[in-house]
Amino acid sequence: VEAERLATRVAPRFVAVDPGLEIALPPGASALPAAALAELAAETPGPIADTAADDPAFLIFTSGTTGQPRGVLHAQRAAWARRMMWQGWYGLGAEDRVLHAGAFNWTYTLGTGLTDPWAAGATALIYAGAPDPTIWLRLIAAERATLFAAVPGVFRQVLRDAGDLRNGLATLRHGLTAGERLAPDLAAAWAARTGTRLHEALGMSECSTFISGAPARPAPPGAAGYAQPGRRIAVLAEDSATPVPRGTPGRLAVDARDPGLMLGYWHDAAASAAAREDGWFVTGDRAVMAADGAIAHLGRGDDVMNALGYRVAPQEVEDALAASFAEAGLHAPEIAVAELPVRDDLNLIAGFVVGDTVDEATLAAMAERRLAPYKRPRLWIAVDALPRTGNGKLRRRDLIEAHRRDRPAVD
């Protein structure tokens, strides 16, 4: 159904459809049979089209975690702009063997796992088997991967292996993580067990990644990293396109001239214009920039919680809870935090805990260790699992809708 809906919005002339996927073609579109695709693959390559930097190159859709997916139209220049990530995040060279754990319907996987290794002359390792959370350690060892890219949850899965990870990951230089905030306890546990580091990046479909830690310049504790070389980043005031002093939270923005920035949203001129303010593309994220330029991500603007009149990023609470468990020498359960409506006139910070092995008294004590009273969850709710997209991103809104108490929950 989703594929049909997106295909209708694109209005293509031809559609290449996997034989195992049954979709209704949009009006005016024809399916390319497998035989036609094979013929195209066998053709001798023709001349390269004489395209300009701002000509359209490809259309992708956002993950839709905050609403209906938007078509994001990128220019030919976007491929060149990805070079800013090669050393600004990956430390990528022609000798590398890159394995990515994500699906190829995601720009993180498509770029980091495929097009960038190819463009740099490196090797892209593609896993096409059935989903298996235990496969990654075996693949890294068998294929002698030097870089491994995934969402944080996959790195947690690898750490559950009781074997000698240092020997099992002997060829791995470091890991790359994006798509969700890297918790400090996970970064520390990975370094301790494997002897390698995880380098985080912050990005979005509209611009790919633009802030990251890198082998040559690791992110300091509590920060996502630095602006990649060639990027111009700012933290803007809440009510104007004026950069705020360093150390002051605000709205994260990218220079609208960035070569990796999208041309615009597909058939949505109003949304395209609304995202730009006085030469800046406003990402919708909140952040704070340290004196040395390190940027800490404070969450999406629409994720920010209101606690007694104070704005609190859920990631801040989640990171503090993870650090408290680590300090106490306790195993930290998987926890997500969100602002939960409990009455028409009252919202509370709620902590959603996977499983019921940790009692509420311990959870409250862990929150008290590092959080001011107004930042602590007032409710603790046990869940079987945290809702995530197919690419592993936390669907915070789904948690809220399933557990809100101001009206009947959505099944």
Side-chain angles (χ1 to χ4, degrees):
V1 175
E2 184 176 10
E4 292 175 0
R5 184 169 63 248
L6 297 184
T8 299
R9 289 175 59 183
V10 173
R13 292 178 59 192
F14 298 99
V15 181
V17 182
D18 186 283
L21 182 64
E22 296 182 2
I23 68 169
L25 295 177
S30 300
L32 289 175
L37 294 176
E39 290 176 8
L40 287 173
E43 287 284 343
T44 301
I48 297 175
D50 185 17
T51 53
D54 284 335
D55 285 348
F58 59 95
L59 177 69
I60 57 178
F61 283 85
T62 62
S63 59
T65 54
T66 57
Q68 287 296 318
R70 281 177 170 168
V72 177
L73 183 62
H74 275 284
Q76 298 286 340
R77 53 178 159 75
W80 179 89
R82 295 192 61 87
R83 292 171 177 265
M84 292 185 276
M85 304 176 210
W86 292 6
Q87 297 306 317
W89 180 21
Y90 309 156
L92 179 66
E95 73 286 353
D96 278 309
R97 297 172 62 80
V98 184
L99 175 65
H100 202 301
F104 280 91
N105 64 340
W106 194 13
T107 52
Y108 175 25
T109 313
L110 182 63
T112 305
L114 186 65
T115 60
D116 287 343
W118 282 358
T123 300
L125 301 171
I126 309 300
Y127 174 65
D132 181 358
T134 70
I135 192 67
W136 306 115
L137 182 59
R138 301 199 301 273
L139 280 179
I140 292 169
E143 300 296 334
R144 301 184 63 79
T146 59
L147 302 179
F148 179 48
V151 294
V154 172
F155 289 102
R156 284 196 187 275
Q157 291 173 350
V158 174
L159 287 178
R160 293 187 185 124
D161 191 286
D164 183 355
L165 294 187
R166 286 179 181 260
N167 286 330
L169 303 177
T171 62
L172 193 70
R173 290 194 288 112
H174 51 264
L176 306 169
T177 180
E180 191 169 282
R181 181 87 176 265
L182 174 63
D185 71 310
L186 173 57
W190 181 268
R193 289 282 309 279
T194 71
T196 67
R197 299 191 64 155
L198 296 180
H199 295 294
E200 181 182 13
L202 180 64
M204 58 195 309
S205 299
E206 291 86 342
C207 194
S208 197
T209 72
F210 49 92
I211 293 168
S212 51
R217 196 182 190 189
Y226 299 89
Q228 294 166 353
R231 308 281 191 191
R232 184 167 176 258
I233 308 298
V235 178
L236 306 180
E238 302 291 348
D239 55 358
S240 74
T242 303
V244 298
R246 297 199 176 190
T248 303
R251 301 178 298 151
L252 185 61
V254 180
D255 194 313
R257 299 168 295 180
D258 191 294
L261 186 62
M262 67 173 184
L263 289 169
Y265 293 113
W266 183 249
H267 292 172
D268 196 340
S272 301
R276 289 171 166 80
E277 295 183 23
D278 295 338
W280 295 103
F281 172 77
V282 183
T283 66
D285 291 298
R286 300 191 74 256
V288 60
M289 186 182 296
D292 69 344
I295 297 171
H297 184 231
L298 300 180
R300 291 287 301 172
D302 46 17
D303 277 346
V304 172
M305 303 178 295
N306 188 331
L308 301 177
Y310 294 93
R311 294 167 65 88
V312 180
Q315 291 90 340
E316 177 187 2
V317 179
E318 291 161 1
D319 287 352
L321 288 168
S324 292
F325 273 94
E327 286 176 353
L330 300 174
H331 174 72
E334 194 174 4
I335 300 175
V337 173
E339 182 180 354
L340 188 70
V342 295
R343 296 198 311 258
D344 288 342
D345 61 346
L346 179 64
N347 291 3
L348 295 177
I349 295 179
F352 299 89
V353 186
V354 176
D356 56 2
T357 59
V358 181
D359 58 80
E360 288 194 15
T362 300
L363 292 165
M366 294 300 102
E368 186 175 356
R369 291 173 69 105
R370 280 181 165 252
L371 292 167
Y374 70 89
K375 294 183 178 181
R376 299 173 195 163
R378 300 296 183 92
L379 296 172
W380 297 100
I381 301 172
V383 295
D384 293 331
L386 297 179
R388 298 183 182 277
T389 67
N391 291 320
K393 291 185 179 181
L394 176 66
R395 298 183 67 96
R396 213 177 294 273
R397 287 196 173 197
D398 285 5
L399 278 176
I400 295 170
E401 289 303 316
H403 297 278
R404 64 188 305 161
R405 301 176 183 182
D406 61 329
R407 57 180 171 80
V410 177
D411 293 332

